[in-house]
Amino acid sequence: MTALDPSVYAKLLRTNSASLSTLLLKRGLRNTAIRGVRPLAGADKPMVGPAVTVRYIPAREDIDGSTYSSDPSNQQRKAIDTIAEGHVLVFDCRSLAEIAGIGAMLARRLVYRGCAGLVLDGGVRDTADIAQLGLPTYCMGPAAPANLVAHHASDMNQPIACGGVAVYPDDIIFGDREAVIVIPREYVNEIADEAVAMEEQEEFLKLEIESGRSTLGVYPPNKETLDRFEVWRRARADAD
């Protein structure tokens, strides 16, 4: 697993899921927003980090008894106890919203490990407790039943599906109030640069529309609008 370059991380903090989705779409990537998940608590700043993945398969009674939680082979526990600082833990819960994929005790271990966030296409138990931990958590909602009711953690750091989106280990996961976006690692540097430029341009276009201009020729911008933007951008850069 590779840590995200601090300069790229800083750039991604300045953008949002809508812009990233658009930039990925321009590269032909249409299925990048994890479906059905929402932030458990207010997302004051974006969640950003490389993915560590865990796959749940259906539980089986002869394997997933009460002692399996403390079994050293439990892949969920391995992932939680070894996740590197700044990484995001992503669970494939098969979109079972009614079963908890994790609870507050294990979430506390993630906080101690410096985990950047948690994404699962399933439920979460102890939601009030987890919401107070400050760990960015994106899930399908609250669920009381423990994971062993329906889940067996079969492997970690393998490609998984989460909310209908393919997630590969070391993909970059971005979450804000609106969505969770999966960015292939190979694209993240260029997308971070383009996202910053896109945010600056859209700031100007909003000012254009708020000044009374028609959206025609402004959004998307034509040559005249782009020329005005370049003048505005240079003037702002000189002022800084």
Side-chain angles (χ1 to χ4, degrees):
M1 307 300 290
T2 308
L4 187 60
D5 182 276
S7 65
V8 175
Y9 175 81
K11 291 171 186 175
L12 290 174
L13 289 181
R14 296 169 57 187
T15 188
N16 58 68
S17 58
S19 294
L20 294 173
S21 176
T22 297
L23 292 171
L24 288 164
L25 180 60
K26 289 180 177 179
R27 289 162 171 81
L29 297 170
R30 298 176 177 275
N31 188 34
T32 58
I34 293 177
R35 293 185 282 281
V37 301
R38 295 291 180 269
L40 191 59
D44 296 328
K45 72 173 187 176
M47 172 191 69
V48 180
V52 171
T53 62
V54 174
R55 184 200 321 276
Y56 282 141
I57 64 172
R60 208 173 75 180
E61 287 76 8
D62 62 326
I63 296 173
D64 298 292
S66 59
T67 61
Y68 183 65
S69 293
S70 56
D71 191 318
S73 69
N74 186 319
Q75 298 294 302
Q76 181 214 45
R77 295 300 181 90
K78 280 187 177 181
I80 289 169
D81 270 338
T82 61
I83 191 168
E85 183 176 0
H87 286 59
V88 176
L89 185 55
V90 185
F91 285 99
D92 174 358
C93 295
R94 310 187 317 284
S95 296
L96 294 180
E98 68 275 18
I99 305 297
I102 198 169
M105 288 296 184
L106 300 184
R108 275 175 166 74
R109 178 62 174 165
L110 291 173
V111 172
Y112 177 84
R113 296 285 306 174
C115 178
L118 177 63
V119 182
L120 59 164
D121 61 345
V124 168
R125 67 195 315 206
D126 311 318
T127 50
D129 195 348
I130 293 177
Q132 294 178 355
L133 291 177
L135 175 69
T137 300
Y138 292 79
C139 63
M140 298 183 78
N147 69 328
L148 293 179
V149 170
H151 295 313
H152 172 84
S154 64
D155 54 58
M156 61 176 284
N157 282 335
Q158 296 294 322
I160 63 170
C162 186
V165 177
V167 182
Y168 286 75
D170 226 27
D171 280 345
I172 303 305
I173 308 299
F174 177 97
D176 61 12
R177 292 177 184 269
E178 193 162 81
V180 176
I181 303 294
V182 180
I183 308 170
R185 169 71 76 152
E186 64 184 292
Y187 295 126
V188 72
N189 290 355
E190 61 191 61
I191 279 183
D193 288 335
E194 291 179 29
V196 170
M198 186 177 180
E199 294 300 327
E200 185 177 33
Q201 185 183 94
E202 291 201 349
E203 182 181 347
F204 171 75
L205 298 182
K206 289 174 185 176
L207 293 173
E208 289 273 281
I209 293 172
E210 289 169 2
S211 73
R213 290 185 184 274
S214 169
T215 58
L216 296 176
V218 171
Y219 189 75
N222 58 19
K223 182 180 183 304
E224 290 76 16
T225 300
L226 291 174
D227 288 343
R228 291 195 302 274
F229 166 66
E230 194 57 31
V231 171
W232 175 84
R233 188 187 65 79
R234 286 198 296 264
R236 191 166 77 160
D238 291 343
D240 292 341

